[in-house]
Amino acid sequence: SPTRDDAKAAIRTFETKYGAKYPKAVNCLTKDTDALLAFYDFPAEHWVHLRTTNPIPVNRLIESTFATLRHRTVKVKGAFSNESALGMLYQLGLEAEK
């Protein structure tokens, strides 16, 4: 919806139309309306980034960070104590983060 008021009207319409058939869904939507519509507090050009449900970019970032750790730990399995392995993983994580 282009405005918060339009979004609230759409939620009321959803509640009226589907409240009897899907009471749990309607309850979830109506009790969390303020949190759901919080992105309207920001400038409109930011909305697409704030309300996206696409997890792929986040997963790719996490995957690329931990790929370095995974490659190193497979190669040296059993070569270190738990403490030294954790220290190595920590240092590799710091480097991967850069």
Side-chain angles (χ1 to χ4, degrees), residues 64-79:
S64 67
T65 301
F66 287 107
T68 302
L69 302 178
R70 188 174 50 256
H71 293 305
R72 301 301 191 285
T73 55
V74 170
K75 301 279 186 202
V76 295
K77 189 178 252 183

Side-chain angles (χ1 to χ4, degrees), residues 5 12 14 17-18 20 26-27 36 49 54 56 63 65 70 73 81 88:
D5 292 335
R12 284 192 299 273
F14 181 86
K17 189 172 183 179
Y18 297 106
V26 169
N27 181 46
L36 184 66
H49 302 291
N54 184 0
I56 292 171
E63 180 64 27
T65 301
R70 188 174 50 256
T73 55
S81 68
M88 182 188 73

Side-chain angles (χ1 to χ4, degrees), residues 3-19:
T3 67
R4 183 187 300 264
D5 292 335
D6 292 339
K8 285 184 177 182
I11 290 172
R12 284 192 299 273
T13 301
F14 181 86
E15 182 178 14
T16 303
K17 189 172 183 179
Y18 297 106

Side-chain angles (χ1 to χ4, degrees), residues 78-98:
F80 298 103
S81 68
N82 283 344
E83 292 81 19
S84 60
L86 285 174
M88 182 188 73
L89 289 174
Y90 179 74
Q91 291 299 320
L92 286 170
L94 290 176
E95 289 301 313
E97 186 179 44
K98 290 179 187 176

Side-chain angles (χ1 to χ4, degrees), residues 1-4 37-51:
S1 298
T3 67
R4 183 187 300 264
L37 303 179
F39 68 90
Y40 283 107
D41 296 335
F42 297 91
E45 57 270 8
H46 295 272
W47 291 355
V48 69
H49 302 291
L50 295 171
R51 63 181 177 180

